[in-house]
Amino acid sequence: MMSSETRFIPNTSEVAAEVLDGEAVLINLTNGMYYSLVGTGGFIWSLLEGGANVNEIVSALVVQYEVKAEQAEKDVRQLIDDLKTEALITDSNQEGGALPSDAPAQRQPYEVPSLKVYSDMQALLALDPPMPDLTDAPWKQPNAKA
Amino acid sequence: MNSLVSADFFRAIESAFLEAQKRETVYKSSYHLAGQPIQMQIAGSVLASHTLPPFSHLKAELDNPSLRVLLWDAKATGVPCPLGLPPETRTDEWGSATQAFAYGFERRYVEYRSHVGTTWLDRASNCLYGCYNDASQFTIYDYSRPLPWLLPVWCNDLGVQVVHTGMVSWKGSGVLLAGPSGSGKTTAVLACLSGGFDYLAEDQTGLGEQNGEFEGFSFYNSARVDANHLKRFPHLASHAQRENDQKTLLMLSELFPGQFVGEAPVRIMLLPRVTPRENSTLERATPAEALRTVAANSLMLPIGGGRRGFERLARLVRHVPCYWLSMGSDLGSIPSAVRGALSS
């Protein structure tokens, strides 16, 4: 069972992610699987990106949303299991970053975080997988300025 | 880098092209592509007749090309394809059953090999050479989108990302159409063209970004259309080149003369989907829905843009309004719905 103190980090070597209007969109650039984190999933993803552990995520959820700690912890653990199963996060030894400290004037309605998995690009990629990331491997004149 | 060896490798390719152009007529032309002047020289009439038409809408009289494209037909000229990148210089090799791609000499050169021939890009001199085995054996797939790998590499170096979208424009305002194959992009593009829109792309668009604004660039005016879809456009069907019962090719520049632009600012993005209704309607899409749709299909192109491409697409969907375009059976309702999206 994962410790409440364990920290996690996005698998940035393979996964790109953006949070837009509270929803996180993630894509695995090597296999074409893509994902949505809905409900409070986008909020939790932002905390994971900051290096938060389970305790810290639960505390932040209870402050920001109308949810009890027991329910929040159950949902966070399930979501983290799902994210690890899809290799979207890994354990981290790094220190945590800043967490949202201000309590809102009114807590928001709680929605269970969930991970939606989209695998429809898999068949296409079985034929022609994407190239190594060109934009991260540019060629420059040997004397060109970076 | 061993510059002597590097020069020898590319000199062999240059020499082969020079020999080819002595033996066959060379077709020279210039184009304005991805905001840049490019020049093409093609040795071999069949190769030229297959390669140039998809770019004809971008033709321009231009000097000082940013890219020179030099191609020859090995069978027509009798000049065989050179060996290509020396094995010891190759890196980042990628291959499938039908094609192979590699960098060489610390990524200065890029080589793409398929069943039709081999192309090489020198990223330092911006020269693209190509040797094709026999252009008379090309299929619709081969000649509908020439240089399908190395043009995107060159564009990437320019900061122009190739995305899997259609694009049209109305009075200078660009509309991206994003979705997986079969979602209705081509139907929407053809319906908009029939409704007076200008054309930029049916399947692949160049996406540039400058000062927070997004620009779409046209590459090809050729559209690969499934034969069943073409039945919905009887006025176009008789113009289609057919290879078999399934695949057809439309050269749109011949069908819609005067309705082409090389580039346009992106004002909105539409996500087409087919519905059983008669009329076409619009609903606002969330940025996340739009990003999922455009990113999954674009980043998984072989030259997809990777992480920076994803970040650019996220900025795009934050910047422009995005809508679901629910397309009805009345194709005439599509262009009016798109105009409505532009004016809302």
Side-chain angles (χ1 to χ4, degrees):
Chain A
M1 188 173 174
M2 82 181 76
S3 158
S4 297
E5 303 299 322
T6 306
R7 298 186 187 279
F8 304 93
I9 191 165
N11 176 12
T12 51
S13 64
E14 296 182 351
V15 177
E18 289 279 343
V19 180
L20 303 117
D21 294 346
E23 180 178 340
V25 177
L26 295 77
I27 185 163
N28 185 319
L29 296 166
T30 64
N31 66 15
M33 296 286 288
Y34 59 105
Y35 309 86
S36 265
L37 279 167
V38 297
T40 45
F43 177 73
I44 294 171
W45 180 262
S46 298
L47 298 177
L48 288 167
E49 286 184 316
N53 62 28
V54 173
N55 276 344
E56 291 163 344
I57 294 170
V58 170
S59 298
L61 280 170
V62 169
V63 169
Q64 299 288 330
Y65 294 93
E66 295 168 351
V67 62
K68 292 182 176 172
E70 296 76 19
Q71 177 69 44
E73 179 167 352
K74 175 172 165 278
D75 294 341
V76 168
R77 287 183 179 278
Q78 178 62 56
L79 184 69
I80 287 174
D81 279 346
D82 293 344
L83 292 169
K84 291 181 81 169
T85 299
E86 295 294 327
L88 298 170
I89 56 173
T90 56
D91 292 357
S92 166
N93 297 323
Q94 294 177 5
E95 289 296 307
L99 293 168
S101 54
D102 295 337
Q106 189 170 2
R107 295 196 303 167
Q108 301 170 59
Y110 179 74
E111 291 180 60
V112 174
S114 68
L115 178 69
K116 288 188 176 176
V117 182
Y118 300 88
S119 59
D120 51 294
M121 298 303 293
Q122 294 273 289
L124 185 65
L125 293 174
L127 296 173
D128 283 329
M131 273 294 300
D133 192 342
L134 273 174
T135 50
D136 286 342
W139 178 83
K140 288 189 185 302
Q141 293 277 4
N143 58 356
K145 290 179 181 172
Chain B
M1 183 192 310
N2 185 329
S3 58
L4 180 62
V5 174
S6 166
D8 287 348
F9 146 74
F10 213 59
R11 194 174 299 129
I13 297 169
E14 290 168 335
S15 299
F17 176 78
L18 290 172
E19 182 60 30
Q21 71 170 5
K22 289 179 193 165
R23 300 190 187 183
E24 267 283 337
T25 305
V26 174
Y27 297 82
K28 292 184 182 177
S29 48
S30 299
Y31 304 86
H32 195 256
L33 189 144
Q36 301 291 323
I38 76 166
Q39 183 190 73
M40 292 200 191
Q41 297 182 44
I42 300 180
S45 58
V46 177
L47 181 60
S49 70
H50 283 335
T51 306
L52 299 178
F55 300 108
S56 62
H57 64 302
L58 303 174
K59 205 164 183 179
E61 294 301 321
L62 299 163
D63 295 324
N64 303 317
S66 297
L67 175 71
R68 289 193 309 135
V69 178
L70 306 119
L71 312 176
W72 77 96
D73 183 328
K75 185 170 184 190
T77 61
V79 178
C81 295
L83 288 176
L85 284 171
E88 65 275 18
T89 71
R90 300 166 76 92
T91 56
D92 306 283
E93 291 187 79
W94 176 99
S96 70
T98 57
Q99 48 198 347
F101 180 103
Y103 293 104
F105 296 98
E106 299 175 1
R107 299 194 173 111
R108 170 174 171 167
Y109 299 101
V110 190
E111 178 180 280
Y112 172 66
R113 201 175 281 271
S114 75
H115 66 286
V116 298
T118 308
T119 43
W120 302 270
L121 174 67
D122 178 359
R123 299 166 86 187
S125 66
N126 290 307
C127 274
L128 195 164
Y129 281 91
C131 174
Y132 293 88
N133 303 324
D134 181 1
S136 68
Q137 298 300 310
F138 277 13
T139 63
I140 280 177
Y141 185 88
D142 299 322
Y143 63 77
S144 59
R145 293 176 197 147
L147 309 169
W149 284 59
L150 296 194
L151 268 187
V153 172
W154 177 72
C155 286
N156 242 312
D157 286 348
L158 287 174
V160 174
Q161 177 184 357
V162 179
V163 293
H164 186 203
T165 68
M167 186 168 178
V168 293
S169 77
W170 178 256
K171 296 182 178 175
S173 293
V175 180
L176 280 181
L177 295 132
S181 296
S183 62
K185 288 192 303 293
T186 300
T187 298
V189 166
L190 294 178
C192 285
L193 271 174
S194 300
F197 278 67
D198 289 329
Y199 171 92
L200 285 99
E202 173 260 331
D203 189 73
Q204 294 188 9
T205 309
L207 182 66
E209 181 183 15
Q210 199 158 28
N211 302 322
E213 298 292 328
F214 293 86
E215 192 85 1
F217 295 101
S218 178
F219 292 133
Y220 308 121
N221 73 69
S222 44
R224 287 202 294 250
V225 187
D226 186 272
N228 285 329
H229 291 148
L230 200 55
K231 289 176 185 167
R232 302 184 71 189
F233 299 91
H235 61 299
L236 304 179
S238 62
H239 300 275
Q241 300 175 42
R242 292 173 190 276
E243 187 162 274
N244 53 42
D245 290 342
Q246 292 300 314
K247 290 295 172 193
T248 68
L249 179 67
L250 290 173
M251 298 308 295
L252 297 172
S253 58
E254 298 168 3
L255 299 173
F256 298 96
Q259 284 180 242
F260 289 83
V261 291
E263 53 198 78
V266 179
R267 298 298 184 215
I268 59 172
M269 182 157 72
L270 303 181
L271 314 177
R273 56 187 176 189
V274 177
T275 71
R277 296 195 296 262
E278 183 180 350
N279 286 319
S280 300
T281 56
L282 291 166
E283 297 162 49
R284 196 70 186 249
T286 67
E289 288 171 330
L291 180 60
R292 271 204 310 272
T293 304
V294 70
N297 289 283
S298 296
L299 299 178
M300 294 303 124
L301 290 172
I303 312 294
R307 182 178 310 282
R308 289 184 209 175
F310 181 76
E311 291 165 358
R312 171 176 290 181
L313 293 174
R315 291 192 294 275
L316 170 70
V317 301
R318 285 188 175 105
H319 185 69
V320 302
C322 303
Y323 299 88
W324 291 104
L325 172 62
S326 299
M327 298 191 300
S329 57
D330 175 11
L331 297 178
S333 67
I334 294 173
S336 49
V338 177
R339 280 193 291 270
L342 277 169
S343 60
S344 66

